[in-house]
Amino acid sequence: MNIGFNGFCENTVTFEADSTVQKGALLKLIDDNTVAVCTEGDKVVGVCVNVRDGYAAVKLYGYVEIPVEGSVNVGYQTLSAASANAFKGDANGREYLVVSAGTDTIGLIL
């Protein structure tokens, strides 16, 4: 039997997007209703699932598999952006439920 977390409590909203936003990027709020790509140490608002005509669909809740830098354990972990496309362990970040922790990729509930 395979285990699947896709579809769990998915919530996606639309924000205005600056020109740096691409599908799969970790995003942060930079202004009213506007998101941009995270840089190292930023607290992540969500993950971009689509971008078109200056707007981004941003997954705020639900399951994602995303690259990780460094070692992250399963369970509730405090994470922040390591880059535009990866998380890292960071005591100053936000808490997420990590359900799978590989060496290059983690699965987590936003």
Side-chain angles (χ1 to χ4, degrees):
M1 176 179 198
N2 290 328
I3 302 297
F5 297 103
N6 290 328
F8 174 78
C9 288
E10 287 187 2
N11 272 336
T12 303
V13 297
T14 302
F15 287 96
E16 291 182 43
D18 82 353
S19 62
T20 64
V21 174
Q22 295 179 350
K23 184 177 179 179
L26 300 177
L27 301 177
K28 62 183 175 183
L29 282 170
I30 59 166
D31 201 356
D32 291 347
N33 310 313
T34 306
V35 292
V37 173
C38 287
T39 57
E40 184 177 2
D42 286 337
K43 290 183 181 178
V44 177
V45 170
V47 177
C48 182
V49 294
N50 194 17
V51 66
R52 183 175 48 187
D53 298 330
Y55 294 93
V58 182
K59 184 186 277 193
L60 300 179
Y61 298 104
Y63 176 77
V64 295
E65 289 182 355
I66 199 120
V68 65
E69 292 185 12
S71 177
V72 173
N73 295 320
V74 295
Y76 283 98
Q77 302 298 325
T78 307
L79 309 171
S80 69
S83 66
N85 299 314
F87 275 102
K88 68 176 183 174
D90 181 351
N92 295 316
R94 289 181 55 202
E95 192 171 65
Y96 299 94
L97 177 58
V98 177
V99 296
S100 65
T103 55
D104 296 328
T105 304
I106 56 175
L108 62 88
I109 306 293
L110 292 171

